Amino acid sequence: MPQPTQSRRIICGALLPALAATPLLLLLFLAASSSPGVLSGEVDLPFGVSAGHRRGGSHRTMYMQSLRDNADGAEAESKSVLNSISNASMSSTRGMPLRGGGHNHDDDGSRGRRRLQKSAKGQNPQQLVAASFEMGFRAPVISIALTHLPKAGPTNRKYFMYWRAIGGKSTQSAATVDIDTMKSNMITTNLDQFCNGPIVLADGNPALFGGYDEPKNKLQADGRKWISVYDDSQKKLISTTTMLYGRWYPTPCMITGNKVLIVGGTSNMDKGPMLPVAELWDPAKPTIGTVQLPLPPTFKKVAGNNWYPFVVMLPRGEILWWGDRGGSITDANWNEIYKFPDLPKNTFPYRTMYPYTSSIVLGALKPDPKTGEYNTFSVIIFGGAPDGSKGAPAAPVSARLDMSYCSKRICDNGWVIEDMAGQRRVMPTTTVLPNGKVLVHAGAQAGVAGWKSGSNYKGTLPAYLDLMYDPNASLGKRYSLSATLGIIRMYHTTSCLDLSGKVISAGCETCGMTGAAAGNLPATVSRSPDGDSDFRISFAVPTEIGPGVERPVIVSAPQIIKRGSVFTVFYTGTVTGATLAAPCANTHSINMNQRVLFLNVVSVSNGVARVQAPPLSQPAAAHEGYYQLFLLGAQTATGKTYSKGLWVKLVDK
């Protein structure tokens, strides 16, 4: 018998037999799959299941774009792959066969419906570019890990960057950088915490979990077991305590009580095996150490090596665990209460965890207009790579799962697979913007993430166009393309939402490629003067906040916001909404604890906006700590504009 709080599923059966039972639908399907174009609109495929059970997870929606290649046989020779992709537009040329099976529904005796949606071939992105780019200045380190420093002041644009000991001959692997003053400060690092898992704690200080033990590094101690906290007031990185296991490539996650869950990584770099447990650390007792926690059985089974898994807290305090091609959700007692439906192998045959690195986000959370609670949420996977890839084309699709609370269960609407406007991506970075859109930045179009092997790059064909994803647009119209990037970004790149509303980008250690590995880069792309390493900072500017756009301006706002309260923001311009964005902590295509929350606006009049803070009933929707506050403005041709941000602190009392 299934547990009452768990949505369990069984295989429904093949699609083609169901179509064959309905001749008209079969004719439509055959016409769509044999034609160069595909069918627009919706076709309802009855499986003898009532639509009333959709919210229970028995409704599986699939958005089938015309895809360029079947992933079978993706291991073509690397050189031919590079030539074929770099000389092509990366657009879809052949529809992927639609296969039945693999879609599940609840095993509680209920029955459901499946809806097949198709769009016109060769999705046409918006005419207006989604973003443009600005050059910044040179940072003192390669930003492999990048975090905000929110305590530096309400309007500060200061960042903490972590690299590694240069040539194993330095004890300064980190730096702070102030974007406004263009000043930087090197930080002494007695531990080797290269490839750590970063996060910004509730008190506003960045913390680093785990790291590395470079054999040639004789000046820094092994950092794999250590937890360190950077205190900007002291300009020091303080080693606080050790974990139970050494962890290279771990993921930290803020959970209830402002504690930190530590998942994944390995003590044996680039080899494994998976560590058998997670750990829990309480920053309020920083020197005490950690306690171990069990990994959810489903997650443990599918997580692979479990390097930088995607782990995030949901609005009611549950923990979402995603690893490679599956995962689960646990409750406050670490019991598994939900299992993710299988990713469809025919339309998303790609792996998502390092080195097949996707970038995964929790979509912007929207409150109920009456209660202010956040009862719906989405997980979106951008890109990836085929299993065993050695230079093969990267994934040209994203996968989205819309979820909701239905009574005491978590339900979903099934995976939605979308063509990414003809673009392929592995190891991009993703940033959720204040208006809810997602910028998919940089990365490669072929291969996997990782260092060079001799003179051969593991990831090739640098992406020179960014993607903008609008989750609120209709299917087939969610992606648009940016202007040409000023700088390519590959392995060891980071990006964050800047207080200006732009997206800051920094770092790269595999950006010196030339010839076939580089592809046909436009002449406007500026190559690094330092070969593979790129120290330069740049910014993506979403078009809705670009030059000439009238943006709202925050004149003043409270520095401290109490949960459940209504607070006042003084502004100029047009205001249509408000959002909070959690501090960024980005590394290796994953932004730890990335979270954007829309807020209910009680009233807007004569330069005064009264805004509802996150509700008392859901303290996990937004943990205590610092957030960027933004005001939303008028709708533009590419999306809602928004103000510059202001750092505020959300407190429970």
Side-chain angles (χ1 to χ4, degrees):
M1 294 292 291
Q3 299 178 25
T5 57
Q6 184 175 7
S7 292
R8 296 174 61 89
R9 303 169 177 87
I10 57 175
I11 301 298
C12 286
L15 175 61
L16 288 177
L19 285 169
T22 314
L24 177 58
L25 292 180
L26 180 60
L27 289 173
L28 289 172
F29 173 80
L30 292 174
S33 42
S34 62
S35 170
V38 292
L39 185 67
S40 294
E42 298 182 2
V43 181
D44 281 324
L45 305 180
F47 274 70
V49 187
S50 66
H53 291 282
R54 172 183 177 181
R55 288 180 55 83
S58 58
H59 183 279
R60 294 280 172 260
T61 305
M62 291 195 52
Y63 175 49
M64 306 295 296
Q65 287 281 4
S66 178
L67 304 178
R68 180 179 184 276
D69 296 299
N70 194 320
D72 297 336
E75 292 303 324
E77 292 83 356
S78 177
K79 185 174 292 186
S80 65
V81 167
L82 296 178
N83 291 334
S84 64
I85 301 179
S86 62
N87 293 327
S89 64
M90 307 293 291
S91 62
S92 302
T93 59
R94 179 164 58 90
M96 179 176 284
L98 179 65
R99 303 186 182 96
H103 298 280
N104 309 322
H105 63 75
D106 293 342
D107 60 357
D108 58 0
S110 65
R111 299 183 299 172
R113 292 159 59 88
R114 183 183 303 168
R115 187 176 69 218
L116 169 67
Q117 296 190 326
K118 289 193 169 189
S119 76
K121 176 194 170 189
Q123 177 173 303
N124 183 27
Q126 299 175 16
Q127 293 295 320
L128 291 173
V129 295
S132 57
F133 295 89
E134 296 176 352
M135 294 293 291
F137 56 93
R138 183 183 174 94
V141 298
I142 299 294
S143 179
I144 291 175
L146 179 67
T147 79
H148 283 122
L149 289 172
K151 293 173 69 174
T155 61
N156 94 85
R157 298 170 67 199
K158 197 172 180 180
Y159 292 87
F160 175 84
M161 297 179 173
Y162 196 96
W163 188 18
R164 55 185 168 86
I166 303 172
K169 299 178 181 179
S170 172
T171 56
Q172 291 187 319
S173 300
T176 59
V177 174
D178 190 317
I179 301 301
D180 287 327
T181 65
M182 294 191 292
K183 293 181 178 180
S184 60
N185 182 57
M186 295 298 295
I187 307 299
T188 298
T189 49
N190 294 317
L191 297 172
D192 182 358
Q193 292 195 274
F194 175 59
C195 293
N196 62 75
I199 202 166
V200 177
L201 303 174
D203 66 4
N205 289 329
L208 309 179
F209 297 82
Y212 195 54
D213 184 24
E214 168 57 53
K216 298 179 181 179
N217 187 350
K218 306 302 181 183
L219 299 179
Q220 292 178 324
D222 184 348
R224 288 174 293 177
K225 279 192 174 184
W226 279 94
I227 300 172
S228 299
V229 176
Y230 176 71
D231 187 339
D232 193 48
S233 65
Q234 301 182 55
K235 312 296 182 189
K236 289 183 178 180
L237 187 63
I238 303 166
S239 303
T240 59
T241 191
T242 56
M243 299 178 288
L244 298 172
Y245 292 86
R247 293 180 185 266
W248 168 88
Y249 276 32
T251 294
C253 171
M254 291 287 292
I255 67 167
T256 53
N258 299 327
K259 296 178 181 179
V260 181
L261 174 68
I262 310 155
V263 184
T266 180
S267 58
N268 193 7
M269 291 81 74
D270 261 328
K271 295 180 181 179
M274 173 193 284
L275 296 176
V277 297
E279 301 183 49
L280 188 65
W281 177 64
D282 187 353
K285 303 173 182 177
T287 62
I288 297 301
T290 64
V291 296
Q292 71 177 38
L293 294 171
L295 296 175
T298 300
F299 168 79
K300 187 175 182 179
K301 182 178 179 181
V302 300
N305 287 322
N306 200 17
W307 297 340
Y308 285 133
F310 179 72
V311 185
V312 68
M313 180 170 63
L314 296 176
R316 292 183 181 174
E318 309 92 344
I319 304 301
L320 184 157
W321 313 62
W322 176 267
D324 207 16
R325 287 189 56 84
S328 55
I329 295 174
T330 55
D331 63 14
N333 297 315
W334 311 106
N335 298 312
E336 198 168 68
I337 60 172
Y338 171 91
K339 298 178 183 179
F340 277 89
D342 293 337
L343 279 168
K345 291 183 179 179
N346 57 334
T347 53
F348 197 97
Y350 307 99
R351 297 182 65 179
T352 69
M353 294 289 101
Y354 177 85
Y356 308 99
T357 309
S358 302
S359 194
I360 308 175
V361 302
L362 178 71
L365 299 171
K366 293 184 177 181
D368 182 279
K370 295 182 179 179
T371 67
E373 291 189 342
Y374 299 89
N375 294 322
T376 61
F377 40 92
S378 300
V379 173
I380 313 169
I381 302 170
F382 295 95
D387 187 30
S389 174
K390 295 180 180 178
V397 290
S398 61
R400 168 174 163 177
L401 189 68
D402 292 339
M403 311 170 77
S404 63
Y405 294 119
C406 44
S407 186
K408 295 183 179 180
R409 295 189 303 166
I410 293 175
C411 304
D412 65 72
N413 291 342
W415 289 108
V416 178
I417 309 302
E418 300 177 76
D419 176 79
M420 298 193 301
Q423 298 289 305
R424 295 179 180 273
R425 288 294 184 275
V426 63
M427 60 175 167
T429 63
T430 47
T431 304
V432 182
L433 301 179
N435 59 8
K437 295 168 70 175
V438 183
L439 179 73
V440 184
H441 178 57
Q445 300 178 78
V448 295
W451 291 102
K452 287 193 300 186
S453 178
S455 61
N456 297 318
Y457 292 88
K458 293 182 179 180
T460 58
L461 300 180
Y464 55 84
L465 296 174
D466 276 356
L467 288 154
M468 187 71 80
Y469 180 79
D470 185 350
N472 298 315
S474 57
L475 287 170
K477 297 181 179 179
R478 290 176 177 165
Y479 280 101
S480 53
L481 299 177
S482 74
T484 301
L485 299 182
I487 298 176
I488 60 172
R489 304 282 188 189
M490 300 284 278
Y491 188 54
H492 285 166
T493 289
T494 51
S495 64
C496 284
L497 175 64
D498 186 61
L499 206 68
S500 64
K502 305 171 186 177
V503 175
I504 184 175
S505 180
C508 186
E509 289 201 297
T510 59
C511 281
M513 61 192 62
T514 59
N520 295 328
L521 289 174
T524 53
V525 173
S526 174
R527 304 305 301 273
S528 172
D530 298 291
D532 279 334
S533 299
D534 202 323
F535 292 82
R536 297 172 297 172
I537 293 170
S538 61
F539 295 89
V541 185
T543 301
E544 49 266 36
I545 64 166
V549 177
E550 184 178 345
R551 302 168 65 184
V553 176
I554 298 176
V555 176
S556 66
Q559 292 188 31
I560 295 178
I561 297 171
K562 292 184 179 180
R563 190 184 308 278
S565 69
V566 175
F567 62 95
T568 300
V569 181
F570 294 92
Y571 69 90
T572 61
T574 300
V575 168
T576 60
T579 53
L580 292 177
C584 176
N586 187 279
T587 189
H588 292 77
S589 299
I590 181 171
N591 188 338
M592 314 297 178
N593 203 49
Q594 179 168 217
R595 182 177 301 254
V596 170
L597 300 97
F598 286 90
L599 304 175
N600 281 335
V601 175
V602 178
S603 65
V604 175
S605 178
N606 298 322
V608 180
R610 298 178 67 241
V611 182
Q612 179 71 56
L616 288 167
S617 59
Q618 283 185 331
H623 62 78
E624 277 193 298
Y626 289 85
Y627 291 83
Q628 297 178 87
L629 170 68
F630 294 91
L631 293 179
L632 302 178
Q635 183 73 25
T636 72
T638 59
K640 273 195 176 183
T641 189
Y642 50 90
S643 68
K644 293 181 180 179
L646 193 71
W647 285 109
V648 297
K649 188 174 184 181
L650 179 67
V651 298
D652 288 335
K653 298 179 181 179

